Coordinates of all heavy atoms in Angstrom, one line a residue:
M1 N 58.0 30.7 -119.4 CA 58.3 30.1 -120.6 C 59.7 30.7 -121.1 O 59.9 31.9 -121.0 CB 57.2 30.5 -121.6 CG 57.0 29.4 -122.6 SD 55.8 29.9 -123.8 CE 54.5 28.7 -123.5
N2 N 60.5 29.9 -121.6 CA 61.8 30.4 -122.0 C 61.7 30.8 -123.5 O 60.8 30.5 -124.2 CB 62.9 29.3 -121.8 CG 62.7 28.1 -122.6 OD1 61.9 28.1 -123.5 ND2 63.4 27.0 -122.2
N3 N 62.8 31.5 -124.0 CA 62.8 32.0 -125.3 C 62.8 30.9 -126.4 O 62.2 31.1 -127.5 CB 64.0 32.9 -125.5 CG 63.8 34.2 -124.8 OD1 62.7 34.6 -124.5 ND2 64.9 34.9 -124.5
G4 N 63.4 29.8 -126.1 CA 63.5 28.7 -127.1 C 62.1 28.1 -127.3 O 61.7 27.8 -128.5
A5 N 61.3 27.9 -126.3 CA 60.0 27.3 -126.4 C 59.1 28.3 -127.1 O 58.2 28.0 -128.0 CB 59.4 27.0 -125.0
L6 N 59.2 29.6 -126.8 CA 58.4 30.6 -127.5 C 58.8 30.7 -128.9 O 57.9 30.9 -129.8 CB 58.7 32.0 -126.8 CG 57.8 33.1 -127.2 CD1 56.3 32.8 -126.9 CD2 58.1 34.4 -126.4
A7 N 60.0 30.6 -129.3 CA 60.5 30.6 -130.7 C 59.9 29.4 -131.5 O 59.6 29.6 -132.7 CB 62.0 30.6 -130.7
L8 N 59.7 28.3 -130.8 CA 59.0 27.2 -131.5 C 57.5 27.3 -131.6 O 56.9 26.9 -132.5 CB 59.4 25.9 -130.8 CG 60.8 25.4 -131.0 CD1 61.1 24.1 -130.1 CD2 61.1 25.1 -132.5
L9 N 57.0 27.9 -130.5 CA 55.5 28.0 -130.5 C 54.9 29.0 -131.5 O 53.9 28.7 -132.1 CB 55.1 28.4 -129.0 CG 53.6 28.4 -128.7 CD1 53.1 27.0 -128.8 CD2 53.4 28.9 -127.3
I10 N 55.6 30.1 -131.8 CA 55.1 31.1 -132.7 C 54.9 30.5 -134.1 O 53.9 30.6 -134.7 CB 55.9 32.4 -132.6 CG1 55.8 33.1 -131.3 CG2 55.6 33.3 -133.8 CD1 56.7 34.2 -131.1
P11 N 55.9 29.9 -134.7 CA 55.7 29.3 -136.0 C 54.7 28.2 -136.1 O 53.9 28.1 -137.0 CB 57.1 28.7 -136.4 CG 58.1 29.4 -135.5 CD 57.3 29.7 -134.2
I12 N 54.6 27.4 -135.0 CA 53.6 26.3 -135.0 C 52.2 26.9 -135.0 O 51.3 26.5 -135.7 CB 53.8 25.4 -133.7 CG1 55.1 24.6 -133.9 CG2 52.6 24.5 -133.5 CD1 55.5 23.8 -132.7
L13 N 52.0 28.0 -134.2 CA 50.7 28.6 -134.1 C 50.4 29.3 -135.5 O 49.2 29.3 -135.9 CB 50.7 29.7 -133.0 CG 50.6 29.1 -131.6 CD1 50.6 30.3 -130.6 CD2 49.3 28.3 -131.4
A14 N 51.4 29.8 -136.2 CA 51.2 30.5 -137.5 C 50.8 29.4 -138.5 O 49.9 29.6 -139.3 CB 52.4 31.2 -137.9
I15 N 51.4 28.2 -138.5 CA 51.1 27.2 -139.4 C 49.7 26.6 -139.2 O 48.9 26.5 -140.1 CB 52.1 26.0 -139.3 CG1 53.5 26.5 -139.8 CG2 51.7 24.8 -140.1 CD1 54.6 25.6 -139.5
V16 N 49.4 26.4 -137.9 CA 48.0 25.9 -137.5 C 47.0 27.0 -137.9 O 45.9 26.6 -138.5 CB 48.0 25.6 -136.0 CG1 46.5 25.3 -135.6 CG2 48.8 24.4 -135.7
G17 N 47.3 28.2 -137.7 CA 46.3 29.3 -138.0 C 46.1 29.4 -139.5 O 45.0 29.6 -140.0
G18 N 47.2 29.1 -140.3 CA 47.1 29.1 -141.8 C 46.2 28.0 -142.2 O 45.4 28.2 -143.2
Y19 N 46.3 26.8 -141.6 CA 45.4 25.7 -142.0 C 44.0 26.0 -141.6 O 43.1 25.7 -142.4 CB 45.9 24.4 -141.3 CG 47.1 23.8 -142.0 CD1 48.3 23.5 -141.3 CD2 47.0 23.4 -143.3 CE1 49.3 23.0 -141.9 CE2 48.1 22.8 -143.9 CZ 49.3 22.6 -143.2 OH 50.4 22.0 -143.8
V20 N 43.8 26.6 -140.5 CA 42.4 26.9 -140.1 C 41.8 27.9 -141.1 O 40.6 27.7 -141.5 CB 42.4 27.5 -138.6 CG1 41.0 28.1 -138.3 CG2 42.8 26.4 -137.6
V21 N 42.5 28.9 -141.5 CA 42.0 29.9 -142.4 C 41.7 29.2 -143.8 O 40.7 29.5 -144.4 CB 43.0 31.1 -142.6 CG1 42.6 32.0 -143.8 CG2 43.0 31.9 -141.3
A22 N 42.6 28.3 -144.2 CA 42.4 27.6 -145.5 C 41.1 26.8 -145.4 O 40.4 26.7 -146.3 CB 43.6 26.8 -145.8
I23 N 41.0 26.1 -144.3 CA 39.8 25.2 -144.1 C 38.5 26.1 -144.1 O 37.5 25.7 -144.8 CB 39.9 24.4 -142.8 CG1 41.0 23.3 -143.0 CG2 38.6 23.7 -142.5 CD1 41.3 22.6 -141.7
M24 N 38.5 27.2 -143.5 CA 37.4 28.1 -143.5 C 37.0 28.6 -144.9 O 35.9 28.7 -145.3 CB 37.6 29.3 -142.5 CG 37.6 28.8 -141.1 SD 38.1 30.2 -139.9 CE 36.8 31.4 -140.2
K25 N 38.0 28.9 -145.7 CA 37.8 29.4 -147.0 C 37.2 28.2 -147.9 O 36.3 28.5 -148.7 CB 39.1 29.8 -147.7 CG 39.6 31.2 -147.2 CD 40.9 31.6 -147.9 CE 41.4 32.9 -147.3 NZ 42.6 33.3 -148.0
I26 N 37.7 27.0 -147.7 CA 37.2 25.9 -148.5 C 35.7 25.6 -148.1 O 34.9 25.4 -149.0 CB 38.1 24.6 -148.2 CG1 39.4 24.8 -148.9 CG2 37.4 23.4 -148.7 CD1 40.4 23.7 -148.5
R27 N 35.4 25.7 -146.8 CA 34.0 25.5 -146.4 C 33.1 26.5 -147.0 O 32.0 26.2 -147.3 CB 33.9 25.4 -144.9 CG 34.5 24.2 -144.3 CD 34.2 24.1 -142.8 NE 34.7 22.8 -142.3 CZ 34.9 22.6 -141.0 NH1 34.5 23.5 -140.1 NH2 35.3 21.4 -140.6
E28 N 33.6 27.8 -147.0 CA 32.7 28.9 -147.5 C 32.5 28.6 -149.0 O 31.4 28.8 -149.5 CB 33.4 30.2 -147.3 CG 32.5 31.4 -147.8 CD 31.2 31.5 -147.1 OE1 31.1 31.0 -145.9 OE2 30.3 32.0 -147.7
K29 N 33.5 28.2 -149.8 CA 33.3 27.9 -151.2 C 32.4 26.8 -151.4 O 31.5 26.8 -152.3 CB 34.7 27.5 -151.8 CG 35.6 28.7 -152.1 CD 36.9 28.3 -152.7 CE 37.9 29.4 -152.9 NZ 39.1 29.0 -153.4
Q30 N 32.4 25.8 -150.5 CA 31.5 24.6 -150.6 C 30.1 25.1 -150.3 O 29.1 24.6 -151.0 CB 31.9 23.5 -149.6 CG 33.1 22.8 -150.0 CD 33.5 21.8 -149.0 OE1 33.2 21.9 -147.8 NE2 34.3 20.8 -149.4
R31 N 29.9 26.0 -149.4 CA 28.5 26.5 -149.1 C 28.0 27.2 -150.3 O 26.8 27.1 -150.6 CB 28.6 27.4 -147.9 CG 28.6 26.6 -146.6 CD 28.4 27.6 -145.4 NE 29.0 27.0 -144.2 CZ 30.0 27.5 -143.5 NH1 30.4 28.8 -143.8 NH2 30.5 26.9 -142.5
L32 N 28.8 28.1 -150.9 CA 28.3 28.8 -152.1 C 28.0 27.9 -153.2 O 27.0 28.1 -153.9 CB 29.4 29.8 -152.5 CG 29.6 31.0 -151.5 CD1 30.8 31.9 -152.0 CD2 28.4 31.9 -151.4
A33 N 28.9 26.9 -153.4 CA 28.6 26.0 -154.5 C 27.3 25.2 -154.2 O 26.6 24.9 -155.1 CB 29.8 25.0 -154.7
S34 N 27.1 24.8 -153.0 CA 25.9 24.1 -152.6 C 24.7 24.9 -152.9 O 23.7 24.4 -153.4 CB 26.0 23.7 -151.2 OG 24.8 23.0 -150.8
R35 N 24.7 26.2 -152.5 CA 23.6 27.1 -152.8 C 23.3 27.2 -154.3 O 22.1 27.1 -154.7 CB 23.8 28.5 -152.2 CG 23.8 28.5 -150.7 CD 23.9 29.9 -150.2 NE 24.4 29.9 -148.8 CZ 25.3 30.7 -148.3 NH1 25.8 31.7 -149.0 NH2 25.6 30.6 -147.0
E36 N 24.3 27.4 -155.1 CA 24.2 27.5 -156.5 C 23.6 26.2 -157.1 O 22.7 26.2 -157.9 CB 25.5 27.8 -157.2 CG 26.0 29.2 -156.9 CD 27.4 29.4 -157.5 OE1 27.9 28.6 -158.2 OE2 27.9 30.5 -157.3
Q37 N 24.1 25.1 -156.6 CA 23.6 23.8 -157.1 C 22.1 23.6 -156.7 O 21.4 23.1 -157.5 CB 24.5 22.7 -156.4 CG 24.5 21.4 -157.3 CD 25.6 20.5 -156.7 OE1 25.7 20.4 -155.5 NE2 26.2 19.8 -157.6
A38 N 21.8 24.0 -155.5 CA 20.4 23.9 -155.1 C 19.5 24.7 -156.0 O 18.4 24.3 -156.4 CB 20.2 24.3 -153.6
L39 N 19.9 25.9 -156.3 CA 19.1 26.8 -157.2 C 19.0 26.2 -158.6 O 17.9 26.2 -159.2 CB 19.7 28.2 -157.3 CG 19.6 29.0 -156.0 CD1 20.5 30.3 -156.2 CD2 18.2 29.4 -155.7
D40 N 20.1 25.6 -159.1 CA 20.1 25.0 -160.4 C 19.2 23.8 -160.4 O 18.4 23.5 -161.3 CB 21.5 24.5 -160.8 CG 22.4 25.7 -161.2 OD1 21.9 26.8 -161.5 OD2 23.6 25.5 -161.3
N41 N 19.2 23.0 -159.3 CA 18.4 21.8 -159.2 C 16.9 22.2 -159.2 O 16.1 21.6 -159.9 CB 18.7 21.0 -157.9 CG 20.0 20.2 -158.1 OD1 20.5 20.0 -159.1 ND2 20.5 19.8 -156.9
Q42 N 16.6 23.3 -158.5 CA 15.2 23.7 -158.4 C 14.7 24.2 -159.8 O 13.6 23.9 -160.2 CB 15.0 24.9 -157.4 CG 13.6 25.3 -157.3 CD 12.7 24.2 -156.8 OE1 13.1 23.4 -156.0 NE2 11.5 24.2 -157.3
A43 N 15.6 24.9 -160.5 CA 15.2 25.4 -161.9 C 15.0 24.2 -162.8 O 14.1 24.2 -163.6 CB 16.3 26.3 -162.4
L44 N 15.9 23.2 -162.7 CA 15.7 22.0 -163.5 C 14.5 21.2 -163.2 O 13.8 20.7 -164.1 CB 17.0 21.1 -163.4 CG 18.2 21.7 -164.1 CD1 19.4 20.8 -163.7 CD2 18.1 21.8 -165.5
R45 N 14.1 21.1 -161.9 CA 12.9 20.5 -161.5 C 11.7 21.2 -162.1 O 10.7 20.5 -162.6 CB 12.8 20.4 -160.0 CG 13.7 19.3 -159.4 CD 13.4 19.1 -157.9 NE 14.4 18.2 -157.4 CZ 15.3 18.4 -156.6 NH1 15.5 19.7 -156.1 NH2 16.1 17.5 -156.1
T46 N 11.7 22.5 -162.0 CA 10.6 23.3 -162.6 C 10.5 23.1 -164.1 O 9.3 22.8 -164.6 CB 10.8 24.8 -162.3 OG1 11.0 24.9 -160.9 CG2 9.7 25.6 -162.8
E47 N 11.6 23.1 -164.8 CA 11.6 22.9 -166.2 C 11.1 21.5 -166.5 O 10.3 21.3 -167.5 CB 12.9 23.1 -166.8 CG 13.0 23.0 -168.3 CD 14.4 23.3 -168.9 OE1 15.3 23.6 -168.1 OE2 14.5 23.2 -170.1
L48 N 11.5 20.5 -165.8 CA 11.1 19.1 -166.0 C 9.6 19.0 -165.8 O 8.9 18.3 -166.6 CB 11.8 18.2 -165.0 CG 11.5 16.7 -165.1 CD1 11.9 16.1 -166.5 CD2 12.2 15.9 -164.1
E49 N 9.1 19.6 -164.8 CA 7.6 19.5 -164.5 C 6.8 20.2 -165.7 O 5.8 19.6 -166.1 CB 7.3 20.2 -163.2 CG 5.8 20.0 -162.8 CD 5.4 18.6 -162.7 OE1 6.2 17.7 -162.3 OE2 4.2 18.3 -163.0
T50 N 7.3 21.3 -166.2 CA 6.7 21.9 -167.3 C 6.7 21.0 -168.5 O 5.7 20.9 -169.2 CB 7.4 23.3 -167.6 OG1 7.4 24.1 -166.5 CG2 6.8 24.0 -168.8
L51 N 7.8 20.4 -168.8 CA 7.9 19.5 -170.0 C 7.0 18.3 -169.8 O 6.5 17.8 -170.8 CB 9.4 19.1 -170.2 CG 10.3 20.2 -170.6 CD1 11.8 19.7 -170.6 CD2 9.9 20.7 -172.0
R52 N 6.9 17.8 -168.6 CA 6.1 16.6 -168.4 C 4.6 17.0 -168.7 O 3.9 16.2 -169.3 CB 6.2 16.2 -166.9 CG 7.4 15.3 -166.7 CD 7.4 14.8 -165.3 NE 8.6 14.0 -165.1 CZ 9.1 13.7 -163.9 NH1 8.5 14.1 -162.8 NH2 10.2 13.0 -163.8
R53 N 4.2 18.2 -168.2 CA 2.8 18.7 -168.5 C 2.6 18.8 -170.0 O 1.6 18.4 -170.6 CB 2.5 20.0 -167.8 CG 2.2 19.8 -166.3 CD 1.7 21.1 -165.7 NE 2.5 21.3 -164.6 CZ 3.2 22.4 -164.3 NH1 3.1 23.5 -165.2 NH2 3.9 22.6 -163.3
R54 N 3.6 19.3 -170.7 CA 3.5 19.5 -172.2 C 3.4 18.2 -172.9 O 2.6 18.0 -173.8 CB 4.7 20.3 -172.7 CG 4.6 21.8 -172.3 CD 5.8 22.5 -172.8 NE 5.7 22.6 -174.3 CZ 6.6 23.2 -175.0 NH1 7.8 23.6 -174.5 NH2 6.5 23.2 -176.3
V55 N 4.2 17.2 -172.4 CA 4.1 15.9 -173.0 C 2.7 15.2 -172.8 O 2.2 14.6 -173.7 CB 5.2 15.0 -172.5 CG1 5.0 13.5 -172.8 CG2 6.6 15.4 -173.0
E56 N 2.2 15.4 -171.6 CA 0.8 14.9 -171.3 C -0.2 15.5 -172.2 O -1.1 14.8 -172.8 CB 0.5 15.2 -169.9 CG 1.2 14.3 -168.8 CD 0.8 14.7 -167.4 OE1 -0.2 15.4 -167.2 OE2 1.5 14.3 -166.5
V57 N -0.1 16.8 -172.5 CA -1.0 17.4 -173.4 C -0.9 16.9 -174.8 O -1.9 16.6 -175.5 CB -0.9 19.0 -173.4 CG1 -1.6 19.7 -174.5 CG2 -1.3 19.5 -172.0
L58 N 0.4 16.8 -175.2 CA 0.6 16.2 -176.6 C 0.1 14.8 -176.7 O -0.5 14.4 -177.7 CB 2.1 16.3 -176.9 CG 2.7 17.7 -177.1 CD1 4.2 17.6 -177.3 CD2 2.0 18.3 -178.3
E59 N 0.3 14.0 -175.7 CA -0.2 12.6 -175.7 C -1.7 12.6 -175.8 O -2.3 11.8 -176.5 CB 0.2 11.9 -174.4 CG 1.7 11.5 -174.4 CD 2.1 10.8 -173.1 OE1 1.4 10.9 -172.1 OE2 3.2 10.2 -173.1
Q60 N -2.4 13.5 -175.1 CA -3.8 13.6 -175.2 C -4.3 14.0 -176.6 O -5.3 13.4 -177.1 CB -4.4 14.6 -174.1 CG -4.3 14.1 -172.7 CD -4.7 15.2 -171.7 OE1 -5.0 16.3 -172.1 NE2 -4.7 14.8 -170.4
L61 N -3.6 14.9 -177.2 CA -3.9 15.3 -178.5 C -3.7 14.2 -179.5 O -4.6 14.0 -180.4 CB -3.1 16.6 -178.9 CG -3.4 17.9 -178.2 CD1 -2.4 18.9 -178.6 CD2 -4.8 18.3 -178.6
V62 N -2.7 13.5 -179.4 CA -2.4 12.5 -180.4 C -3.3 11.3 -180.2 O -3.7 10.7 -181.2 CB -0.9 12.0 -180.3 CG1 -0.6 10.8 -181.1 CG2 0.0 13.2 -180.7
T63 N -3.7 11.0 -179.0 CA -4.6 9.8 -178.8 C -6.0 10.2 -179.0 O -6.9 9.3 -178.9 CB -4.3 9.2 -177.4 OG1 -4.5 10.2 -176.4 CG2 -2.9 8.7 -177.3
D64 N -6.3 11.5 -179.2 CA -7.7 11.9 -179.3 C -8.3 11.4 -180.7 O -7.6 11.4 -181.7 CB -7.7 13.5 -179.3 CG -9.2 14.0 -179.3 OD1 -10.1 13.3 -178.9 OD2 -9.3 15.1 -179.9
D65 N -9.5 10.9 -180.7 CA -10.1 10.4 -181.9 C -10.2 11.5 -182.9 O -10.1 11.3 -184.1 CB -11.5 9.8 -181.6 CG -11.4 8.5 -180.8 OD1 -10.3 7.9 -180.9 OD2 -12.3 8.2 -180.1
G66 N -10.5 12.7 -182.5 CA -10.6 13.8 -183.5 C -9.3 14.1 -184.2 O -9.3 14.4 -185.4
F67 N -8.3 14.0 -183.5 CA -6.9 14.2 -184.2 C -6.7 13.1 -185.2 O -6.2 13.4 -186.3 CB -5.9 14.2 -183.1 CG -4.5 14.4 -183.6 CD1 -4.0 15.6 -184.0 CD2 -3.6 13.3 -183.8 CE1 -2.8 15.8 -184.5 CE2 -2.3 13.5 -184.3 CZ -1.9 14.8 -184.7
Q68 N -7.0 11.9 -184.8 CA -6.8 10.8 -185.8 C -7.7 10.9 -187.0 O -7.3 10.7 -188.1 CB -7.2 9.4 -185.1 CG -6.3 9.1 -183.9 CD -4.8 8.8 -184.4 OE1 -4.6 8.5 -185.5 NE2 -3.9 9.0 -183.4
L69 N -8.9 11.4 -186.8 CA -9.8 11.7 -187.9 C -9.3 12.7 -188.9 O -9.3 12.6 -190.1 CB -11.2 12.0 -187.4 CG -12.3 12.2 -188.5 CD1 -12.5 10.8 -189.2 CD2 -13.6 12.6 -187.8
K70 N -8.7 13.8 -188.3 CA -8.1 14.9 -189.1 C -7.0 14.4 -189.9 O -6.8 14.7 -191.1 CB -7.7 16.0 -188.2 CG -8.8 16.9 -187.6 CD -8.3 18.0 -186.8 CE -9.4 18.7 -186.0 NZ -8.9 19.7 -185.1
R71 N -6.2 13.5 -189.3 CA -5.0 12.9 -190.0 C -5.5 12.1 -191.2 O -4.9 12.1 -192.3 CB -4.2 12.1 -189.1 CG -3.3 12.9 -188.2 CD -2.4 12.0 -187.4 NE -1.3 11.5 -188.2 CZ -0.4 10.7 -187.7 NH1 -0.4 10.3 -186.5 NH2 0.6 10.3 -188.5
E72 N -6.5 11.4 -191.0 CA -7.1 10.5 -192.1 C -7.6 11.4 -193.2 O -7.4 11.1 -194.4 CB -8.2 9.6 -191.6 CG -7.7 8.5 -190.7 CD -6.8 7.6 -191.3 OE1 -7.0 7.3 -192.5 OE2 -5.8 7.1 -190.7
F73 N -8.3 12.5 -192.9 CA -8.8 13.4 -193.9 C -7.6 14.1 -194.7 O -7.7 14.3 -195.9 CB -9.7 14.5 -193.3 CG -11.1 14.1 -193.0 CD1 -11.6 14.4 -191.8 CD2 -11.8 13.4 -194.0 CE1 -12.9 14.0 -191.5 CE2 -13.1 13.0 -193.7 CZ -13.7 13.3 -192.5
N74 N -6.6 14.4 -194.0 CA -5.4 15.0 -194.6 C -4.7 14.0 -195.6 O -4.1 14.5 -196.6 CB -4.4 15.5 -193.6 CG -4.9 16.8 -192.9 OD1 -5.8 17.5 -193.4 ND2 -4.5 17.0 -191.7
K75 N -4.7 12.8 -195.2 CA -4.1 11.8 -196.1 C -4.9 11.6 -197.4 O -4.3 11.4 -198.4 CB -4.0 10.4 -195.4 CG -3.0 10.4 -194.3 CD -2.9 9.0 -193.7 CE -1.9 8.9 -192.6 NZ -1.9 7.5 -192.0
V76 N -6.2 11.8 -197.3 CA -7.0 11.6 -198.5 C -7.0 12.8 -199.3 O -6.5 13.2 -200.2 CB -8.5 11.3 -198.1 CG1 -9.4 11.3 -199.3 CG2 -8.6 10.1 -197.3

């Protein structure tokens, strides 16, 4: 290999290496963001399920005949 080819090859390898490092950093950031998003999604799903159960209980209470009777007594 002559000196001219070597002089061109070194900067090209440095540029390509810089791109590879940048791509690796971006992928690592994406993995971390994906993990955080998965944890957030799981927390939201858990909260949603808890709220659904609470709404079911409230619906049962409101539609219960005893509850309706108590409301009528309170109105009188």
Side-chain angles (χ1 to χ4, degrees):
M1 217 185 239
N2 62 18
N3 288 338
L6 188 60
L8 288 175
L9 188 61
I10 291 174
I12 291 172
L13 288 176
I15 292 169
V16 170
Y19 282 122
V20 169
V21 170
I23 290 170
M24 290 173 60
K25 286 181 182 180
I26 290 170
R27 285 187 180 168
E28 184 61 28
K29 286 181 184 178
Q30 287 176 339
R31 282 189 205 122
L32 290 174
S34 177
R35 287 184 202 142
E36 289 175 6
Q37 206 171 36
L39 291 173
D40 287 345
N41 286 345
Q42 184 60 36
L44 289 172
R45 284 188 182 111
T46 303
E47 184 178 358
L48 179 63
E49 185 60 33
T50 303
L51 291 173
R52 282 183 178 162
R53 281 191 235 125
R54 290 179 68 185
V55 167
E56 285 178 15
V57 170
L58 291 172
E59 286 175 346
Q60 288 174 357
L61 289 173
V62 170
T63 58
D64 184 30
D65 290 336
F67 180 79
Q68 296 295 335
L69 186 60
K70 287 179 188 177
R71 283 183 78 180
E72 291 299 321
F73 280 132
N74 287 336
K75 284 182 182 179
V76 174

